[in-house]
Amino acid sequence: MKLRFIGIGLLSVLAFSASAQKRKLNPNDTSSNYNPAEAFSPMFYTEKGNDFHSANGAPGARYWQNRADYNLKVTLDTVSKTISGTEEINYTNNSPDNLPYLWLQLDQNTYKQDARSNFFTDHSPAANQHTSGYQIESVSVDYGDVVKAVPFVVTDARMQVRLTRPLQKGNIKLRIKYHYTIPGDFGARTDYCDTKNGKIYEIAQWFPRMCVYDDSHGWDTLPFLGSGEFYLDYGDIDYQVTVPWDMIVAGSGELLNPKEVLTATQAARLDQARNSDKTIMIRDLAEVNDPASRPVNKGTLTWHFKMLNTRDVAFGASKAYIWDAARVNLPGGKKSLAMSVYPAESYGNDAWGRATEYLKKSIEYFSEKWFVYPYPVAINEAGIAGGMEYPGIVFDGITDKGSVLYWVTAHEIGHNWFPMIVGSNERRYAWMDEGLNTFIDIYASDAFNKGEYAPKRDSEYAPGGGNPADEIIPSLLDPQSPSIMTAPDAIPEKYRHPLTYYKPAFGLVLLREQILGKDRFDYAFKNYINQWAYKHPQPDDFFRSMENGAGEDLSWFWKGWFYNNWLVDIALIDAKYAGKDASKGITINVVNKEQLPMPFTVEVKFKDGSKKRFYLPVETWLQSSKITYTLPTTQEAESVTVDPDATLPDLNRGNNIQKVK
């Protein structure tokens, strides 16, 4: 989901930094809030590993998860603004339990006037803008030789299907007939809006979806309230969308019937794009209002898509779409196809004319660096959802351009790694997708056109445009600020970005660049992705996997950074020659004044202008808040600085430097 550029303003950061610098160092003040026994206490993990979730962070020998395959046939009615149709769910129970009932998610019900989402936050639709939600016409079970209606009960945004006999290990086929009214421009994640050449429909959460049944919660039935996103099983989704003849449909997965819904010219251009690194126009601006750009000029057309091993699908539909595409080059000689659809309002080389380029380059980077993109197509769709992600398709803003469009494209398609490939529970642990995704975005932007859109400009990583280590400090100091591990829907909006996106992402940067080093971190992180691809990791699985892959006990860091908002203030009390001159080195006295221990770098500046650095590991703080250490130097020195590159979120940089005495 796209962040909003709020939460940590540059002015507040500068104001705080200025006040921090006024705190003059008192050489006699060695007081500290640090408690090494608490920071390094054993038994961080309250449970041992088991047969389902191993102690090393991998899926256990008896790990299981259920599967949901869908066959969907729906019609988009542009007059009544409704979606109506049927779905067939082939649900496979791989658990050791018999299931007397099934639970499904009805996310469209969040737009009802009496929905629970209206009562706790500003995420709900605007006043008096509501729909009637899902209208479930029938639910039945296909037993092969007979189809029987079964009772069902709808509770807010969930539906319980009560089976006539329990589902044992094996599968069951549900048939559901339904319709709903599409929310308008208040929908946020799914909606329709006007453009000068016709409405754009962004259709998501558009069919009843199975709740996940897992070994952590049984049925995970948290209702959809707006902020906490999704938790879904994997399967194959075959879907058909019937729309008026003049509309283009851009959907997750592979288009199976291009000859029926495209002209011969468009089909040829699409084939050309599959072999082109340059963006190819499939339907240009001049063709948008030309009836000849459609294979028929009356009635309806049915677009048929299929996506394999996915947790969801979404689509956009409009007669206003301009459409372009280009080849995506993947490791091992594999190929995919990047496509963008957008209205005339978005046209331009500084805007959506580069959308496919942004999409293509992001996928290529993430695939090379972390895990190969698994789907045949990726789509960038312009609308007013303004930043939403689904497998193989992202919804970005009509007016986005330049660095904003790049960043939102990279971020939203990055969600195909977290949580579309690594299938974490977004409704409970938003940081496991938003934070990890924001983290990989940082390095993608470094690589894009040699840093054309650097991560310290207009990004979720540093929304104020400054040093990320400084920008996180106001939220750490805020006594009302929740921790990263807070449930997504319990995080007030003003903290959503700092706590869900930025803090976990910056924490991983600290792990990679200050604590573990790039090689050890990258190996462990890729190992985690490979272990949990198309599976359901819990937070402990991530923590354990990183520790085992990197060979490091990081419980002090998870405890301080993720479960708490512990602070860092490493103060250099003094720096003196160990003897009468420089021949025996420089002795430094350092105090950790706050709760979070961190490894740190010390830089000595010599009188001849040269510099030398020393790295002190986190074990420096294992027994005490105060350390005395002699730096092995023999040159005459001018000064000593702690954290010379300002990479740590240090509360007071004014106490980080001392002249050598």
Side-chain angles (χ1 to χ4, degrees):
M1 180 180 180
K2 182 183 178 182
L3 57 103
R4 301 174 187 173
F5 296 101
I6 63 169
I8 308 177
L10 181 57
L11 291 178
S12 65
V13 173
L14 292 177
F16 172 79
S17 298
S19 64
Q21 297 304 321
K22 292 179 181 177
R23 285 195 247 166
K24 299 298 184 182
L25 175 64
N26 179 354
N28 299 317
D29 180 11
T30 59
S31 62
S32 174
N33 296 321
Y34 178 64
N35 182 349
E38 182 180 10
F40 292 101
S41 61
M43 303 301 292
F44 168 71
Y45 298 105
T46 57
E47 296 181 2
K48 297 179 180 179
N50 55 48
D51 288 348
F52 310 106
H53 295 258
S54 294
N56 67 359
R62 296 173 59 199
Y63 174 84
W64 57 267
Q65 68 187 51
N66 291 349
R67 178 182 176 92
D69 298 291
Y70 298 85
N71 193 298
L72 309 164
K73 295 180 180 179
V74 298
T75 297
L76 167 59
D77 188 326
T78 57
V79 176
S80 63
K81 308 296 188 298
T82 59
I83 293 284
S84 59
T86 60
E87 74 171 323
E88 185 177 275
I89 308 172
N90 191 6
Y91 183 68
T92 304
N93 178 22
N94 293 315
S95 80
D97 307 320
N98 294 336
L99 306 178
Y101 50 82
L102 308 175
W103 281 100
L104 289 87
Q105 302 179 26
L106 303 181
D107 290 346
Q108 288 297 323
N109 287 5
T110 198
Y111 302 113
K112 295 175 68 174
Q113 189 167 9
D114 62 349
R116 292 186 183 187
S117 57
N118 292 328
F119 295 94
F120 86 108
T121 181
D122 58 1
H123 290 300
S124 59
N128 302 318
Q129 288 185 302
H130 299 284
T131 73
S132 56
Y134 275 115
Q135 302 298 300
I136 305 297
E137 300 171 34
S138 64
V139 180
S140 59
V141 173
D142 186 343
Y143 289 105
D145 55 340
V146 62
V147 177
K148 290 186 176 181
V150 290
F152 61 92
V153 176
V154 174
T155 305
D156 193 56
R158 298 147 304 172
M159 177 171 70
Q160 185 185 53
V161 175
R162 296 171 177 174
L163 303 175
T164 54
R165 58 177 182 262
L167 173 62
Q168 299 177 347
K169 184 169 286 192
N171 53 350
I172 193 171
K173 190 173 291 184
L174 290 179
R175 290 183 178 179
I176 302 173
K177 186 176 181 181
Y178 69 97
H179 66 273
Y180 71 89
T181 299
I182 304 165
D185 59 7
F186 63 91
R189 299 172 187 268
T190 179
D191 51 53
Y192 61 85
C193 67
D194 287 314
T195 74
K196 67 181 181 181
N197 291 318
K199 284 183 169 55
I200 288 177
Y201 293 84
E202 297 177 297
I203 307 300
Q205 294 102 265
W206 55 280
F207 55 96
R209 302 176 298 180
M210 294 298 304
C211 292
V212 172
Y213 185 81
D214 66 17
D215 56 60
S216 296
H217 297 282
W219 285 108
D220 202 307
T221 57
L222 284 180
F224 179 51
L225 300 179
S227 185
E229 293 185 296
F230 313 114
Y231 185 37
L232 301 161
D233 275 321
Y234 291 89
D236 299 339
I237 303 180
D238 187 305
Y239 66 106
Q240 299 180 44
V241 181
T242 299
V243 296
W245 64 271
D246 56 354
M247 299 185 79
I248 298 292
V249 178
S252 302
E254 187 170 6
L255 177 63
L256 298 183
N257 62 335
K259 293 182 179 179
E260 296 176 17
V261 295
L262 304 179
T263 65
T265 299
Q266 290 165 349
R269 291 170 180 169
L270 198 57
D271 286 340
Q272 181 185 0
R274 297 182 195 279
N275 297 296
S276 174
D277 284 324
K278 294 183 178 181
T279 300
I280 302 296
M281 277 292 176
I282 311 303
R283 187 184 191 230
D284 64 26
L285 179 60
E287 296 173 289
V288 168
N289 290 313
D290 184 358
S293 73
R294 306 303 303 117
V296 298
N297 293 149
K298 63 179 181 179
T300 60
L301 287 172
T302 297
W303 296 65
H304 188 185
F305 299 90
K306 189 170 186 179
M307 196 170 193
L308 304 179
N309 202 20
T310 182
R311 42 180 260 162
D312 199 6
V313 291
F315 66 90
S318 180
K319 64 180 182 180
Y321 281 153
I322 299 166
W323 181 6
D324 64 41
R327 178 180 64 194
V328 178
N329 302 300
L330 302 174
K334 297 179 180 179
K335 308 294 178 186
S336 184
L337 185 67
M339 305 193 300
S340 296
V341 290
Y342 47 93
E345 290 88 333
S346 305
Y347 190 73
N349 289 332
D350 65 335
W352 278 76
R354 295 189 69 185
T356 291
E357 174 196 355
Y358 297 155
L359 187 64
K360 164 185 165 67
K361 292 293 183 67
S362 298
I363 294 171
E364 289 175 347
Y365 176 82
F366 294 140
S367 295
E368 182 68 34
K369 182 67 177 175
W370 304 117
F371 189 93
V372 179
Y373 183 73
Y375 303 122
V377 175
I379 300 167
N380 205 352
E381 191 268 356
I384 61 169
M388 266 309 299
E389 69 281 356
Y390 301 93
I393 187 170
V394 298
F395 295 167
D396 291 342
I398 285 176
T399 59
D400 290 348
K401 60 182 178 180
S403 64
V404 173
L405 181 57
Y406 168 77
W407 266 95
V408 71
T409 298
H411 180 79
E412 302 311 334
I413 199 61
H415 275 301
N416 273 261
W417 281 261
F418 306 101
M420 309 309 173
I421 293 171
V422 181
S424 59
N425 186 343
E426 299 176 273
R427 197 154 293 176
R428 292 182 184 272
Y429 313 110
W431 65 270
M432 291 187 74
D433 72 290
E434 297 294 0
L436 272 60
N437 180 27
T438 301
F439 166 75
I440 66 174
D441 295 342
I442 296 163
Y443 298 98
S445 70
D446 280 341
F448 178 73
N449 287 355
K450 297 182 179 180
E452 179 179 351
Y453 299 129
K456 291 185 181 179
R457 297 199 302 269
D458 297 330
S459 77
E460 61 259 52
Y461 181 53
N467 179 6
D470 291 329
E471 290 201 18
I472 192 62
I473 289 174
S475 65
L476 295 177
L477 285 171
D478 187 342
Q480 303 301 316
S481 180
S483 73
I484 290 173
M485 299 301 291
T486 305
D489 289 307
I491 298 176
E493 178 61 23
K494 72 174 183 177
Y495 298 115
R496 182 176 64 85
H497 170 227
L499 269 299
T500 302
Y501 296 74
Y502 171 42
K503 190 183 179 189
F506 181 58
L508 296 187
V509 171
L510 289 174
L511 275 180
R512 186 176 191 263
E513 299 185 3
Q514 306 303 319
I515 299 170
L516 295 176
K518 296 177 182 179
D519 179 75
R520 291 170 69 199
F521 179 94
D522 289 357
Y523 180 84
F525 196 61
K526 289 173 71 173
N527 183 59
Y528 166 73
I529 297 171
N530 278 278
Q531 286 176 327
W532 289 100
Y534 314 109
K535 296 181 177 68
H536 296 313
Q538 301 297 311
D540 275 9
D541 295 316
F542 175 68
F543 298 148
R544 290 175 184 269
S545 182
M546 290 300 296
E547 289 186 358
N548 280 265
E552 195 77 31
D553 182 349
L554 298 168
S555 59
W556 58 272
F557 186 72
W558 311 132
K559 190 184 307 177
W561 196 259
F562 284 78
Y563 282 90
N564 297 281
N565 288 326
W566 286 358
L567 304 169
V568 179
D569 185 5
I570 300 175
L572 178 60
I573 301 301
D574 56 41
K576 301 177 181 179
Y577 289 127
K580 294 181 179 181
D581 54 29
S583 62
K584 294 186 178 180
I586 300 169
T587 298
I588 59 173
N589 286 291
V590 186
V591 176
N592 186 8
K593 297 178 68 65
E594 295 294 342
Q595 306 102 311
L596 184 63
M598 285 292 291
F600 61 98
T601 298
V602 175
E603 180 180 86
V604 180
K605 182 179 179 181
F606 298 104
K607 289 185 177 180
D608 64 3
S610 62
K611 298 176 181 179
K612 186 175 182 180
R613 292 188 172 189
F614 303 87
Y615 180 80
L616 279 71
V618 73
E619 285 78 11
T620 300
W621 309 114
L622 195 57
Q623 296 183 5
S624 175
S625 64
K626 305 169 187 177
I627 64 108
T628 299
Y629 182 75
T630 299
L631 306 173
T633 67
T634 57
Q635 293 177 258
E636 289 191 352
E638 180 179 306
S639 62
V640 175
T641 303
V642 167
D643 188 26
D645 297 325
T647 54
L648 302 180
D650 197 302
L651 294 184
N652 185 2
R653 302 204 187 282
N655 60 20
N656 287 10
I657 185 169
Q658 284 287 326
K659 291 184 178 180
V660 178
K661 300 176 182 178

